Amino acid sequence: MRLTSLMQITDEDARPRLAPHVRLAFNAARGEYALLSPETVWVINATGAAIVELCDAQRTVAEISAELRGRYDQVAENDVRSFVALLVTKHGMEVHHG
Amino acid sequence: MDKPYGLLAELTYACPLQCAYCSNPLELDAYRDELSTEEWQRVFTEAAELGVLQLHLSGGEPLQRHDIVDLVQCATDLGLYTNLITSGLGLSTRRAEQLREAGLDHVQLSIQADERDLSDKIAGTISFERKQVAARLVKQLGWPLTLNVVLHRENIDRIGGILDMAVAMEADRIELANTQYAGWAGHNRDELLPSRDQLERAEAVVREARERLGDKMEIIYVIPDYYSKYPKPCMDGWASRQFTVVPNGEALPCPAAHELARALDIPPANVREHPLEWIWEEAPLFQQYRGDAWMPDPCRSCDRKEIDFGGCRCQAFALTGDAARTDPVCHLSPDHGLVEAAVEAANDPMRPQDGSLTPRSKVIRTKKRATAATQERMARTPVPLSPTVLKGKA
């Protein structure tokens, strides 16, 4: 297993997960989800939170997309991919292979 | 007005280190009357209710507070992301295990240099080995490890060695932040400011290390604003996203605003006297430079005013005596000559070598529950706090 960067995220077997220093939280005072890390707060919407919850280093991006399509009407695989890719570039997520 | 995302809690200004680049205020004696455990817990509770998500526990050295585990536990119970910013001194195995148990999310360890003698010289006390031990402990207990390195004239040439040491420590992240000249660092500026050649070499080393290390370690490099064309977007704007509470309970919109706050002819905003919500929304100190109504030209008519918010109010105050002026770092500032003169002096080949730095002074911690009034020293690693907020799209 190895970690990789944005370039390889198009791989079919890319399995994302949150970086070790990042935590998902729902903030009641704001009524919104956020990814928390030492210096950064990423505010995300409920769909984003649903994606993050499925990013367990086991599921591939394609599997996550398929699972979300069962819950939401409009989730394109590219949406998941770009969401994950953005967080990888910001060091909020890691992608495992194999 | 948005709600704040981050709270920097400076629990105490007691510290075993005496770094000359400390951003703590020169008048340390004014902050000795520290908030009690119960008062901090109330502050954290009010902060969470206000929408704060991140809690940075700093100082001074936060481990000098004997109630640090209780404070972390309280923050964890409130759902806050807790980040301990420490010199590593005082992080015994037992204390570390208690903090892990209490839910501490993240540890940031300050590093002065990669060589024992230089590190101990900069810290003003023997500390290099203890930092190595602290780094191992953090990794053993399964925390992600971030190293904080404040860069200045004395250590910036060691940046390659520092990066190698960070890799050996298995650090997940390293923040290489050029000094911001607040507090003691402001006092010592002319001895701390690196030369242009030093900076260019350092940046080349960082570029090479990023390519070589890839995802193995995240490298954050904070450029020195004295050498920039434009100022930093300090705090993402005054009282915009985060704030600081200092040991005696004063709330500040910026961690370096102590002297500025005292110079303004308005009452301090102290958590002992006001709820946090009132302080954030109503306190005159927080309203003072919020938004852009306070801005003079060239900021007022500048198309970058939404990018850098006029720069740092504390830097404007420190350099000009007027916090409402454009940050003199900006090349458009009428006061930019002040910065140019400092840069010119730092690059003068005839510059005297081995000038002396003033180590931060020692103070006696007088809080009743502290150990008997032993001599302690003051330190703090300046931390760039700048949460990027992006809306998730999916």
Side-chain angles (χ1 to χ4, degrees), chain A residues 4 21 30 37-39 41 43, chain B residues 4 51 54 56 81 215 388 390:
Chain A
T4 188
H21 60 276
R30 295 171 180 279
S37 78
E39 302 296 337
V41 173
V43 175
Chain B
Q54 281 173 315
H56 306 279
Y81 186 97
D215 283 343
T388 310
L390 58 94

Side-chain angles (χ1 to χ4, degrees), chain B residues 204-249:
Chain B
V205 172
V206 168
R207 275 195 301 274
E208 185 279 324
R210 279 187 176 143
E211 281 182 27
R212 176 165 44 90
L213 297 172
D215 283 343
K216 198 169 166 191
M217 183 171 74
E218 182 183 1
I219 302 173
I220 298 139
Y221 180 77
V222 181
I223 59 165
D225 56 1
Y226 268 56
Y227 284 90
S228 306
K229 194 173 175 187
Y230 297 107
K232 288 180 182 166
C234 184
M235 310 308 291
D236 296 311
W238 186 263
S240 163
R241 300 205 181 283
Q242 54 202 312
F243 66 104
T244 300
V245 176
V246 301
N248 70 342

